[in-house]
Every structure is written in structure tokens, then in C-alpha cells.
Amino acid sequence: MKPTYGRVSRYGLIAFASSLDQIGPFARSVDDAAITLSLMAGFDPLDATSSDRPGLEVLNNSAGGVKGMRLGVPREYYDVKGIEPGVKAAIDAALFILRNAGAEIVDVSLPHTDYGLAAYYIIAPAECSSNLARFDGVRYGLAEVDAANITDEYLQTRRKGFGTEVRRRVMLGTYALSSGYYDAYYLKAQKVRTLIKRDFDEAFKKCDAIVSATSPTVAFPIGSKTQDPLSMYLCDVLTLGGNLAGLPGISVPCGTSDGLPVGLQVLGPQWGESVVLRVARAYEEASEIRTGVASPSPLQGRG
Amino acid sequence: MPLSKDEVRHVAMLARLGLEAGDVEFYADQLSGILAHIDRLQQVDTEHIAPTAQVVEIASRLREDEPRPSLTQEEALANASATVDGFFRVPAIQEET
Amino acid sequence: MGSWEVVIGMEVHVQPKTKTKMFCGCAVAPLNAAPNTYVCEVCLGLPGVLPVPNRAAVEACLKTALALNCDIPRHTKFDRKNYMYPDLPKGYQISQYDLPMSVNGLLEVGSRKVRIRRVHLEEDTGKLIHAGDQLHKAWESYVDLNRAGVPLMEIVSEPDLRSADEARDYAMELRTLLRAIGASEADMEKGQLRAEPNISIRRAGTEQLGVKTELKNINSFRALHRAILYEVDRQAKVLESGGAVEQETRGWSEPEQRTFPQRSKEYAEDYRYFPEPDIPPLELDRAWIEDLRRGLPEMPSVRRARLLEQLPAAQVAVIGADKDLADLYETAVANGAPALPTANWIVNEVAPTGKLVSPRSLAELMKLLQGGAVTRDQAREVYLESVETGRTPAEIVAEHGYAQLSDESELRVLAEAVIDANPKAAADYRSGKKQAMQALMAELRKRAPHANPKVANELLLKLLG
Ligand SMILES: [Zn+2]
């Protein structure tokens, strides 16, 4: 689960993209996620972007079911380019279950979906390139101390210490912020971000939560896409929008395709964790997935 | 737009990332591919749209001017590779070519 | 030369008076603290830390902006200025780029109106020490991060200054103002005020600005003045010999009394400014701004104008430049001290030492001195003792038995005895040798060290006349 941006303090979290980073729990059940989140959330004087806004009354609400709730299905997500048939089938089954549990399924639209990936891959690498500048070998970490001068020390230490994907993002982000490209890339991406957020604001006027697949495809083998980063990035196309808009979201297991798990994504409005958890909990219960994976009771060990 | 090798070298220097054999070609190729996709942003009309730097509206909170304990010098230097007499040590800072 | 017009804009960095750093709870280190002892996870730039702005620093910046007649926008934000250098732990400096804390101010220096472009807030860097002392010869350098993250206000003027004198007076006026409003100690020698002039010259009567150089490493008002004179002269020589001034940053060398190029242009930095995502934009609440505005003391320029109605310009130049001295003067006078003697006392006895007594004590002392109860030398001793012990001048005078002998009948007996014992000196005086009076006075003082010299002198004159 990923909470609303600002719900959980980022102090202590090694920053990747500061305006997107948010800590969320991985759990074996929605209840566990809810309980864990309730303990993690809140204002931290060491994080100026953290907040103690309400909206976390999950423990009382999550069992309330979806009867009477309106769940939006964005057509741009449902028919996203490259979605695997098996994934689509799993989502159809999930929507059927939710409808049976009393939810009303409504059509919504997120018109700027096609631009989410592009905006994300400017904003995140730009912030990343700045956040990773502190790894310079002077105060901690790997250091090529025998370099002839400080610039060589930086160049060698950072070339050696960062992996391929990190270097790729640092390069991309540095380029997007550099003189002459800032307006065309970084500023443009920030404006598109505004439009993406507005899309969600509009959609949430018509529904309580948004449901979709978490990814258009099931997991690909490790290392199979490193030479084609764009196709790898495209797997994130359904989660980037919510991320850019700072929304709370959760992914719950909803069957398999080709023997690999498919995720059902539930997105709520900002500070709407309680809605997200309630929908996820209702699905988990109705789909009986819970019985298959959940531990005996929330947060209790097996003894 | 595709990235030239010179641009790759310039960006790598800005980012203080060393370049090893093949790196320039690798970045030029990969970044050009990603940027080709990103260039679709130019199709969006953002004429009257304000940029969003922070997506959630959070009221600014300022810290009161009250001291908190600092680290000891030993703690501060504990993870550094090179120190001298309480200082971090760095190689020569050359400002001219 | 002679026909060059000098154009100077000033960038002044000021350390506001705060207990802690800009974005973390580390105390601001005293001078000569051991290296890396005023640092924490945040100002060391460890992974996972976040900045939280210091309210006192924001307040000092806003007060400064108000005192400089700046406009304060409703919203301001911080930005990251990205460059890697060993004195900059995070690889970026948190500063302000396109939405500074304030803009469009004005400071009057003498008859010159200097427009202030902006006053913004940022964080300081650490300090580097170079092995072998000189950067370009150093084989390695040492990093002390005590200063990293200390708040800095940057006050940027428009290029409105026209001489080294004006630039120095501008910097001095800023110091007076910053101290008056309590925003900073603004001590140049301690690095709390760093002035960096941007200098260019052009033919008198032309409008086009010349190519400018920026000077750094200036540690006193005197150095500021000299550095500008040197640089103006250098630029004029370059231009007069047919050369072109290069736009560059130059350092002032105090030992060599010259400027030299500081940074090569071989690799131009690209700071890649972007909004600091870790700090939400600050909403500058109007009620808060108005409170700060109301809380500002009288501006030094207004106070100087008022002092000029009571005192000569020379005394005002000293007293009006320092809030503590002006406060002492005005309160002492309000407590009954005589204006001009008190001003003179402050100029001659207080300003050079910086030792302050309470205004009430100064008023008391000035009255004792005026009434002839103590001599000037005694008053000086009483003053210092009052500074040290906090006791009142009257108490100290009583204890030391300093009280002067001013009683006329007693002094008359003394004076007559002195004349009787020195018939030659008395006769000399009567015959026109006026300097003989000195011998008589010396004799009188030998007999009665505490005699009021003024009264005694008058009596001798009367008896001999
Ligand atoms: Zn600190």
C-alpha cells in the first residue's frame, strides 16, 4: 500500500524522488496493512512535508463493505496499451465480485494518462539526480581516496558505486534540469503533473474510489528488460498517475495469469486511505483470497 | 531529440559520473530512446497551467529556534574514508585546468 | 584616466542572529570551535534526512526586508542550487531562486538612494582548509562542516553605487541597520557580514554598463574600500591599454593588496535550480508581517536626523551609527544628563572601548562631573568601576572620597596660603607673566589634590587681581 503523500514521515527514508517518495506497508492482509499504517502515520517535526490530517479511521471502517459505493473504472486504464488478456480477465472477475458485493461500477476518464509516464520519468530522475549528489565519498560510503583530485574522486566513486539503472536516471534527471532544457522538460512535466492531478479531481467527483489492474502485465524475468528501459518503465503506467497526484493506493492479489499473480489496484482521493482500505478489504473478503494468504490474525506471529 | 555524444559527456560531468569504455554510446542510445517517448509532453497544451512542485497542500511549519544536541566529532567522522585531525580529508581541489 | 564612471552593485551575505542552524537543531558554532563538533545527521547530509526551516531565521530575514522597505510576497519558496563541492555536504545548497522572501527595497546612504533588488534566505557552506595554505598548490584539503547549514540572508542591491566611498558607506549603513533591528551582529571580522561588490566602469556620460567583476574574500570595511579602488584602477588600465575586462570572480588578497582571478571559466557551472521538494512553500501570513513591522525600532536614518537637531554632525556620526550608543545617549539625556558633554563623553570614552554603563549611571556621572564633584580623570575611573561592578557613580565617589573640594571659604584660605608661600610667583603674575599661574595652581593642587580646579583658579585670579 502507498499512503497519501505526506501521510507518513520520510525522515530516515533514503530519498529517491522527494516529491513522490512515500513509505507504505507490505502486509499479508488488508487488516494488517491498515493496522501497520495507523502506527506509521502522522506529523513528524523532522519532516516539513508530513501531516496529521484525518482520514485514517480505517480500523472502524474497513469492514464496512462496498455496498452503495461507486467504484470508477478509468477507460484509459482498463484498455491500456499492452494489457495482457490474462490480466484483463482477472480484473473483469474482480469487478464482478465487487459488483456482487453491492458496489456500483461507473465509467470515469483520466485523459492525460498517456503523458503520465513521460512526466514521471522527468520529475523522478530530476529529483533523484539531486538527492544522490550527496553520495560523493567524502563523509561516508565508497570513496576512491587515491584519486588525483576531488573531481576525479567524485567521478570514479560515483561511477563505481551506482548501478546501471541509477546512473541512467541520474543522467536523465541531470539532463532534464540542465540549462536550456529546464523549460522543455522539467517545467513542462510539472505542468502536465497539474493536469494529471486535475484528471483525478474530476474523476473523484463521480466515484468514491478508482479500480484497475496494478500493472498491464505480470512480472517479467529479472534482467530481461535492462537493455530496453522504456518497455520496463511502461509496466508502471497504471501506478504513475496516482503517484504523481500523491494519492493513496493499494494493490491486492486478484488471481493469476500464466501462473503469475495479478494485482488489483484501488486508488482513493488524497487523504482517503480509509476508502481505499475499505474497498480492498471488501474485495479480499468477497474473493476469499484472504483465507489463502492471511496469517492467523492481524500482526500476530505464528508462535 | 537524440542526445549527442558531446551532450552525454557534458551531462556526465555535471552529474560527476565517470565514463568508462562504452558508456558514452550506452547513455546516448538509451537516453535518446527514453527522451523520444518523453517528447510527447510537447503535444500537451500547458499554456495557462501552473506547475505542480508539491502535490499535496501542506501548511508550512517552521521549526522553533531551539538547539538540539549535535553529534560528537568522533561520530561525525566515523563513516568517512579519510580524516585528519578532526577534519574530513579530500584530494586536491583543482580549480584551473 | 579621470573620465571613468564607476558602477557598483553589492551582494551582502549576513548571518542572522539565531541560536541554531537554518534547517537543523545544531547550535551555531562559536569561532574557534573544534572542527566537525557542531554537526548532525541533517547538516552532514546523511542519507534519509530532511530540512526544516528555522523560524527565527525567517523572522530575521523578514525584519531586514521590512527595514529595507522591501515588498514581501504572500508566498515564498526554497530552491535547490545544485553543484558538487566538498564544503557542500548535500551536493546542493538550499537557497531561493524565483520567489525570494522579499523584493524591491530601498536604502538611503547619504544622498544616494540604493535600490535593493531582493533579500533572500539560504544556508552557508562548510569551511575548507588547504594543505600548503594556497588552493592552487594544495595537494589535499580538509573539510570542517561546523558552518555548513548556518543561516544566511543575501541582500542584493541594484548597481546604484558610484564610488568606493559609497560602497563602504552602504555596507556600514547596512551593519548599523541590521544591529538596530536586532537581525544580526553583522561583525565583518567574524564573517557575519560578507560584502561582495560587483564592479564595472564606463565612460562618464554613457549609459551602457561595462563588463563587471565580482570581488570576494573581503574581511573589513577598509579592505572593501581598498579592493574597490584597486579593481577600478585595474579595469581602467585594462581598458585604456585597449584590452577587455573579463567577467569573472576575483579574490582580494589582504597581504598583497590586490585582486586576482579566483575561478577559471574553463568549466562553467550549471546550477540546475529547481523547487526544493522537501519544504512546502511558505505562506507569509499578513498578520505576522504586520506584527514584525510594528515591532521594528526607529530606523537609524530617522534617529540620526533627530540627533542632528541636538548635536553636531561629528558626534552624530559616531553615536548614530550604533544602536547601543544612541540608546545610551538618549536615555541618559532623558535622565537629566547634559546633552553635548554626554555626547562627547560617549564619543571619547565609550565608543573606543565599547564598555557600556546603564544610562541612569551615566546621567549621574555627567551631573557629578558638571557640578565639579569629580575631576575628569576621576570620572574616567568611576566610569570603569561602575561598568565592572554595576554600582552607581555616587556610591563609588563616596567610597573613594573623590568628592572635590569646592567650598569657596575653604578654598579661599588655601589660595591665600599658596600666595603667601610663593611671593615671587605672585609678583611675576601681577607683573604680567601669566604663566606664573601654573606654578601657583600646581602648589595648590599639591596641598589639596581634591580641590576643584575651576573654583580654585577663579579664586587665585580674584586674589591676585
Ligand atoms: Zn546539524
Side-chain angles (χ1 to χ4, degrees):
Chain A
M1 148 148 229
K2 179 168 187 175
T4 308
Y5 182 83
R7 178 68 84 190
V8 178
S9 168
R10 293 182 292 118
Y11 193 86
L13 174 73
I14 297 181
F16 162 58
S18 308
S19 79
L20 298 158
D21 291 348
Q22 185 56 204
I23 303 172
F26 282 95
R28 294 182 66 98
S29 72
V30 174
D31 281 350
D32 282 3
I35 293 167
T36 313
L37 178 62
S38 71
L39 296 170
M40 294 160 65
F43 172 69
D44 177 356
L46 294 176
D47 178 358
T49 63
S50 68
S51 169
D52 44 17
R53 288 275 290 263
L56 259 186
E57 308 76 8
V58 286
L59 301 181
N60 302 328
N61 280 335
S62 64
V66 288
K67 198 167 170 54
M69 284 179 92
R70 288 171 307 164
L71 302 179
V73 177
R75 64 186 78 98
E76 295 84 357
Y77 280 22
Y78 184 76
D79 285 322
V80 69
K81 192 175 159 218
I83 190 162
E84 289 174 4
V87 171
K88 202 164 189 174
I91 296 304
D92 282 337
L95 292 175
F96 181 79
I97 288 171
L98 286 165
R99 192 181 286 122
N100 271 355
E104 182 192 346
I105 307 295
V106 298
D107 261 357
V108 293
S109 175
L110 300 169
H112 292 92
T113 298
D114 262 358
Y115 306 104
L117 184 86
Y120 179 89
Y121 276 99
I122 290 297
I123 293 167
E127 293 179 359
C128 159
S129 72
S130 175
N131 284 332
L132 299 193
R134 69 189 61 199
F135 295 97
D136 60 6
V138 175
R139 285 144 294 123
Y140 45 81
L142 180 73
E144 294 292 312
V145 286
D146 295 329
N149 59 56
I150 187 71
T151 305
D152 282 354
E153 191 272 347
Y154 287 160
L155 293 170
Q156 291 169 24
T157 301
R158 292 162 60 78
R159 173 63 179 83
K160 198 167 166 185
F162 292 147
T164 310
E165 182 59 27
V166 173
R167 280 186 279 121
R168 190 153 54 203
R169 292 191 183 201
V170 167
M171 287 290 288
L172 183 56
T174 304
Y175 178 69
L177 288 173
S178 67
S179 165
Y181 298 102
Y182 181 88
D183 286 2
Y185 288 119
Y186 186 76
L187 192 64
K188 188 77 179 179
Q190 298 279 40
K191 289 178 174 179
V192 170
R193 188 176 191 182
T194 305
L195 293 171
I196 288 169
K197 181 172 180 296
R198 281 190 199 167
D199 283 355
F200 280 105
D201 291 344
E202 284 304 308
F204 284 120
K205 286 178 186 165
K206 295 182 191 148
C207 63
D208 301 302
I210 284 171
V211 289
S212 73
T214 304
S215 172
T217 65
V218 292
F220 51 83
I222 289 173
S224 68
K225 294 195 178 185
T226 38
Q227 290 310 307
D228 184 6
L230 188 60
S231 81
M232 179 165 66
Y233 297 167
L234 279 165
C235 298
D236 298 336
V237 68
L238 300 178
T239 48
L240 295 179
N243 203 355
L244 286 167
L247 308 179
I250 195 168
S251 178
V252 289
C254 81
T256 58
S257 167
D258 293 338
L260 289 166
V262 175
L264 173 74
Q265 172 176 243
V266 183
L267 292 173
Q270 283 185 359
W271 313 110
E273 278 85 348
S274 61
V275 179
V276 168
L277 289 162
R278 187 166 153 183
V279 173
R281 171 72 152 71
Y283 172 75
E284 185 185 60
E285 196 162 79
S287 65
E288 295 175 0
I289 279 172
R290 195 166 189 245
T291 50
V293 295
S295 41
S297 68
L299 286 186
Q300 279 178 18
R302 283 165 199 264
Chain B
M1 66 194 101
L3 237 68
S4 71
K5 289 182 183 175
D6 276 350
E7 280 178 303
V8 169
R9 288 192 195 96
H10 172 70
V11 173
M13 189 60 190
L14 277 180
R16 299 293 189 272
L17 276 179
L19 293 167
E20 292 179 4
D23 279 0
V24 173
E25 294 74 17
F26 175 78
Y27 290 131
D29 174 58
Q30 300 238 313
L31 298 186
S32 296
I34 298 165
L35 289 168
H37 175 87
I38 287 171
D39 278 340
R40 68 176 53 197
L41 287 177
Q42 308 312 324
Q43 300 160 10
V44 187
D45 179 7
T46 52
E47 180 85 29
H48 301 291
I49 306 298
T52 296
Q54 276 169 325
V55 74
V56 171
E57 274 178 39
I58 290 173
S60 44
R61 294 207 206 204
L62 297 171
R63 183 174 57 79
E64 295 309 317
D65 187 25
E66 284 153 12
R68 281 164 35 111
S70 296
L71 299 172
T72 64
Q73 187 187 70
E74 198 179 13
E75 288 169 328
L77 300 179
N79 296 311
S81 316
T83 62
V84 173
D85 295 339
F87 292 92
F88 297 100
R89 181 169 70 82
V90 295
I93 301 168
Q94 290 191 325
E95 293 213 325
E96 59 267 82
T97 41
Chain C
M1 44 184 279
S3 59
W4 295 106
E5 184 185 30
V6 180
V7 178
I8 303 169
M10 296 277 277
E11 283 176 27
V12 178
H13 283 93
V14 177
Q15 182 189 326
K17 206 192 288 178
T18 61
K19 293 202 273 289
T20 65
K21 292 189 179 183
M22 185 64 230
F23 297 114
C24 65
C26 283
V28 172
L31 284 177
N32 307 323
N36 298 305
T37 49
Y38 286 77
V39 292
C40 71
E41 295 87 341
V42 176
C43 55
L44 279 174
L46 299 196
V49 301
L50 296 166
V52 183
N54 180 342
R55 177 185 299 279
V58 173
E59 210 166 278
C61 189
L62 290 172
K63 274 161 73 175
T64 303
L66 289 168
L68 290 169
N69 305 295
C70 289
D71 297 333
I72 294 173
R74 288 186 176 271
H75 290 94
T76 183
K77 70 176 170 76
F78 289 98
D79 298 276
R80 291 188 186 178
K81 178 181 180 179
N82 294 282
Y83 66 98
M84 288 183 65
Y85 207 67
D87 63 6
L88 189 66
K90 300 187 294 299
Y92 56 85
Q93 179 192 31
I94 304 179
S95 180
Q96 297 198 281
Y97 187 55
D98 56 347
L99 273 180
M101 204 77 71
S102 64
V103 292
N104 293 337
L106 187 76
L107 180 65
E108 288 186 43
V109 183
S111 58
R112 180 72 70 189
K113 288 179 162 51
V114 184
R115 290 168 298 154
I116 306 293
R117 187 179 299 168
R118 58 192 280 159
V119 181
H120 77 241
L121 206 49
E122 60 186 31
E123 57 178 339
D124 209 343
T125 61
K127 274 187 185 155
L128 293 174
I129 294 172
H130 305 295
D133 226 33
Q134 271 176 307
L135 179 58
H136 58 282
K137 289 182 193 152
W139 60 92
E140 62 186 29
S141 297
Y142 311 111
V143 189
D144 172 14
L145 296 174
N146 282 346
R147 201 182 64 184
V150 167
L152 279 185
M153 302 188 275
E154 183 173 338
I155 304 168
V156 184
S157 87
E158 298 291 345
D160 290 346
L161 296 155
R162 292 290 174 271
S163 68
D165 284 8
E166 286 189 4
R168 181 201 48 208
D169 291 350
Y170 168 83
M172 291 177 79
E173 182 65 16
L174 265 186
R175 177 184 63 171
T176 301
L177 183 81
L178 290 161
R179 287 182 178 173
I181 63 174
S184 172
E185 313 253 353
D187 189 332
M188 242 182 147
E189 261 111 72
K190 290 182 187 160
Q192 294 162 335
L193 188 152
R194 288 170 240 164
E196 290 161 9
N198 286 285
I199 303 163
S200 64
I201 60 175
R202 63 184 172 196
R203 285 286 171 197
T206 58
E207 284 297 305
Q208 179 84 33
L209 287 171
V211 176
K212 66 179 181 183
T213 55
E214 181 179 346
L215 302 189
K216 288 184 187 282
N217 281 349
I218 293 170
N219 295 322
S220 67
F221 294 108
R222 206 154 72 133
L224 174 66
H225 194 248
R226 287 188 181 172
I228 293 172
L229 289 180
Y230 176 90
E231 183 60 15
V232 167
D233 191 46
R234 189 191 69 84
Q235 290 188 11
K237 281 183 181 140
V238 168
L239 292 175
E240 279 161 12
S241 64
V245 173
E246 211 179 320
Q247 177 159 353
E248 61 184 348
T249 300
R250 298 177 68 89
W252 169 249
S253 165
E254 189 64 39
E256 296 171 61
Q257 295 283 302
R258 67 180 188 93
T259 67
F260 58 93
Q262 224 183 12
R263 217 167 269 179
S264 83
K265 296 284 120 189
E266 186 254 335
Y267 193 77
E269 262 307 344
D270 174 353
Y271 292 125
R272 290 159 284 141
Y273 280 99
F274 75 100
E276 167 57 275
D278 289 331
I279 305 171
L282 289 186
E283 196 179 320
L284 298 170
D285 180 46
R286 292 299 104 177
W288 184 28
I289 306 291
E290 285 317 308
D291 271 0
L292 291 176
R293 196 193 300 276
R294 271 194 297 275
L296 284 180
E298 183 179 41
M299 289 300 111
S301 56
V302 177
R303 185 170 216 177
R304 254 193 316 261
R306 189 154 40 76
L307 290 172
L308 275 171
E309 291 168 10
Q310 312 163 18
L311 296 171
Q315 279 81 348
V316 175
V318 176
I319 295 174
D322 187 311
K323 182 180 181 290
D324 290 340
L325 297 183
D327 285 348
L328 177 61
Y329 168 78
E330 294 204 309
T331 320
V333 169
N335 276 286
L340 188 57
T342 303
N344 287 333
W345 182 271
I346 290 174
V347 169
N348 297 320
E349 310 295 340
V350 186
T353 62
K355 290 179 175 165
L356 297 168
V357 277
S358 76
R360 194 178 291 276
S361 289
L362 180 61
E364 192 176 293
L365 181 64
M366 293 316 294
K367 280 184 266 185
L368 289 169
L369 185 63
Q370 280 271 297
V374 289
T375 65
R376 200 167 181 84
D377 287 341
Q378 289 168 341
R380 220 171 265 137
E381 282 175 41
V382 172
Y383 185 85
L384 290 178
E385 196 168 331
S386 180
V387 170
E388 269 164 39
T389 64
R391 287 157 63 221
T392 69
E395 284 168 8
I396 297 166
V397 166
E399 186 185 293
H400 286 260
Y402 276 154
Q404 276 186 341
L405 179 55
S406 300
D407 184 276
E408 227 173 290
S409 54
E410 277 182 60
L411 279 174
R412 179 182 291 270
V413 174
L414 253 173
E416 283 167 354
V418 167
I419 291 170
D420 288 350
N422 297 275
K424 179 159 180 339
D428 284 351
Y429 181 84
R430 286 195 174 103
S431 66
K433 290 186 182 161
K434 300 290 178 205
Q435 63 270 37
M437 177 57 74
Q438 283 169 16
L440 293 171
M441 274 301 290
E443 181 64 23
L444 186 139
R445 229 176 289 144
K446 206 192 283 173
R447 291 171 184 230
H450 303 140
N452 182 321
K454 199 166 153 238
V455 179
N457 190 261
E458 278 165 12
L459 280 167
L460 281 170
L461 285 172
K462 206 187 280 178
L463 291 168
L464 293 169

